[in-house]
Amino acid sequence: QVQLVESGGGLVQPGGSLRLSCAASGTIFNFNPMGWYRQAPGKERELVALVTSGNANYAESVKGRFTISRDNAKNTVTLQMNSLKPEDTAVYYCKLRRSAKDYWGQGTQVTVSS
């Protein structure tokens, strides 16, 4: 069984920065995809950033602003979000895929507003 615990998020002004962290329990390997999705009100959940075996993939909308990093020894993944925009406002979810099953965190709210 895998559990994901997220931290970070909150309210920030446009142009500001936030850092999200996710810690996974259980046996995790670096080839298990792990990353972040987000869901804004009235919209579908979408990929933000994902890292697998050291390779990171980003949504076009966040490239150059967000950076994902992973510590395989600690089973953690971090999303550093810079130059935040109001359209980045959403609930952010950590996700891990293991043995063809997806595990999700509880979600953390990120609000970008002046």
Side-chain angles (χ1 to χ4, degrees):
Q1 187 70 13
V2 173
Q3 289 189 327
L4 302 174
V5 178
E6 300 150 345
S7 60
L11 173 64
V12 64
Q13 292 185 344
S17 298
L18 281 175
R19 185 180 181 93
L20 305 181
S21 294
C22 175
S25 63
T27 301
I28 309 298
F29 300 99
N30 69 339
F31 57 79
N32 295 130
M34 190 171 181
W36 294 92
Y37 286 68
R38 68 186 181 188
Q39 187 167 18
K43 295 187 177 181
E44 294 186 354
R45 193 170 297 189
E46 63 176 1
L47 170 71
V48 177
L50 195 70
V51 59
T52 306
S53 298
N55 296 311
N57 292 289
Y58 296 91
E60 285 295 326
S61 60
V62 307
K63 281 184 178 178
R65 300 187 297 122
F66 291 11
T67 302
I68 190 170
S69 59
R70 183 169 178 174
D71 186 332
N72 293 310
K74 297 181 179 179
N75 286 349
T76 59
V77 66
T78 300
L79 185 69
Q80 177 65 42
M81 306 184 292
N82 299 327
S83 302
L84 282 160
K85 304 175 181 180
E87 51 263 44
D88 293 318
T89 295
V91 178
Y92 284 68
Y93 296 91
C94 180
K95 176 190 163 182
L96 173 76
R97 187 168 181 86
R98 191 189 75 172
S99 301
K101 183 176 179 179
D102 291 331
Y103 298 87
W104 295 91
Q106 77 281 4
T108 184
Q109 177 70 45
V110 171
T111 302
V112 185
S113 175
S114 56

